[in-house]
Amino acid sequence: MSNVYDKAHELSRTIRESEEFQQLKQLHEAVEQDEIAKRMLDNFRQLQLNLLQKEQQGQVPTEQEITEAQKQMELVQQHEMISKLMAEEQRVSTLIGDVSKIITEPLEELYGVPDQE
Amino acid sequence: MSNVYDKAHELSRTIRESEEFQQLKQLHEAVEQDEIAKRMLDNFRQLQLNLLQKEQQGQVPTEQEITEAQKQMELVQQHEMISKLMAEEQRVSTLIGDVSKIITEPLEELYGVPDQE
Ligand SMILES: [Ca+2]
Ligand SMILES: [Ca+2]
């Protein structure tokens, strides 16, 4: 039992020390310190969140909202630091997703969830 | 990078070898080999799934469905092997949940998700 927790902490440390996570951390801090970039990203995320919440409530976004979301998406994509941050977030997300699949393999085998490899 | 994957595989092996997982596996196999227990558990899970799907579609279960679910719940709770299996599933689920929290701690620290400890 404690062995599982020890190994989990080891893995957590390895993730923290990974090149992916260190890059993400640097970009995250760089954006935090750049007022314009930070506001742009906050706006974008808030807009995405609003659209998602609408969707979850079964509502259809208006044409204006879709246009606004596209405009914000183009803005953040053209911003080098933010687009780098978002690409790095994607890399870390893939890494964590892979790790999660590896860890739940024993359960998949037991419950016969189809293997995705 | 490869180090993260190595550590993830180590952790996965440790989970597979854990007392919790081994117990779960034994109980799972025991139920699979007991036709009556297996049918009772399958029925119960199908019923739970149906109720969940209804709920997700915004529908309210009928009184009859609620009564049936309660009856099935009592049946499985009275069945020693099944109730042991369900308790062990809960233990493994807690273990995996703890592991998952430990692994995502680096991300929590970065994004300021409140620490739950
Ligand atoms: Ca696999
Ligand atoms: Ca913590």
Side-chain angles (χ1 to χ4, degrees):
Chain A
M1 169 117 170
S2 73
N3 206 9
V4 169
Y5 287 88
D6 290 347
K7 291 286 175 193
H9 283 291
E10 272 180 42
L11 173 57
S12 190
R13 272 194 298 275
T14 312
I15 290 169
R16 189 180 274 110
E17 289 159 7
S18 70
E19 186 260 332
E20 289 90 335
F21 183 77
Q22 288 301 319
Q23 282 276 3
L24 178 62
K25 196 177 172 189
Q26 276 177 29
L27 286 162
H28 189 262
E29 284 164 2
V31 169
E32 285 290 312
Q33 280 158 23
D34 182 325
E35 218 172 294
I36 290 167
K38 183 165 167 32
R39 205 183 313 149
M40 198 185 279
L41 186 59
D42 285 348
N43 280 343
F44 175 69
R45 292 215 159 121
Q46 190 57 53
L47 208 68
Q48 297 288 102
L49 190 66
N50 292 348
L51 281 179
L52 185 70
Q53 284 171 341
K54 263 204 145 172
E55 206 185 296
Q56 283 172 344
Q57 289 162 9
Q59 293 173 42
V60 179
T62 64
E63 239 177 89
Q64 203 201 333
E65 284 171 321
I66 294 170
T67 310
E68 180 65 18
Q70 283 168 342
K71 210 183 78 189
Q72 289 284 342
M73 175 66 98
E74 279 166 30
L75 268 176
V76 298
Q77 280 173 343
Q78 281 160 14
H79 194 292
E80 198 184 347
M81 199 193 288
I82 297 180
S83 60
K84 272 188 185 169
L85 173 67
M86 288 171 75
E88 203 58 42
E89 282 175 343
Q90 194 50 58
R91 274 181 82 204
V92 170
S93 167
T94 300
L95 184 70
I96 299 287
D98 285 351
V99 161
S100 175
K101 262 186 238 154
I102 291 166
I103 290 164
T104 52
E105 266 183 25
L107 289 175
E108 279 176 38
E109 284 164 24
L110 207 55
Y111 289 97
V113 177
D115 200 298
Q116 298 191 354
E117 280 152 43
Chain B
M1 170 120 169
S2 73
N3 205 8
V4 169
Y5 287 89
D6 289 347
K7 290 286 174 196
H9 282 292
E10 272 180 41
L11 172 57
S12 190
R13 272 194 297 275
T14 312
I15 290 169
R16 188 180 275 108
E17 289 158 7
S18 69
E19 186 259 332
E20 291 91 332
F21 183 77
Q22 288 301 319
Q23 282 276 6
L24 178 61
K25 195 178 172 186
Q26 276 176 31
L27 286 162
H28 190 262
E29 283 162 4
V31 169
E32 285 290 311
Q33 280 158 23
D34 183 325
E35 218 173 294
I36 291 167
K38 183 165 167 30
R39 205 183 313 149
M40 198 186 279
L41 186 59
D42 285 348
N43 280 343
F44 175 69
R45 292 214 158 122
Q46 190 58 54
L47 207 68
Q48 296 289 103
L49 190 65
N50 292 348
L51 281 179
L52 185 69
Q53 284 171 342
K54 262 204 148 173
E55 206 184 294
Q56 282 171 343
Q57 290 163 8
Q59 292 172 42
V60 180
T62 65
E63 238 176 90
Q64 202 199 334
E65 284 171 323
I66 293 170
T67 311
E68 179 65 19
Q70 282 169 342
K71 211 183 77 189
Q72 290 284 343
M73 175 66 100
E74 279 166 29
L75 268 176
V76 299
Q77 280 173 344
Q78 280 160 16
H79 194 290
E80 197 185 348
M81 200 194 287
I82 298 180
S83 60
K84 272 188 186 169
L85 174 66
M86 288 171 75
E88 202 58 42
E89 283 176 342
Q90 193 50 56
R91 272 181 83 205
V92 170
S93 167
T94 300
L95 184 69
I96 299 286
D98 286 350
V99 161
S100 175
K101 260 186 241 155
I102 292 167
I103 289 165
T104 51
E105 265 184 24
L107 289 174
E108 277 176 37
E109 283 164 25
L110 208 55
Y111 289 96
V113 177
D115 200 298
Q116 298 191 354
E117 279 151 44

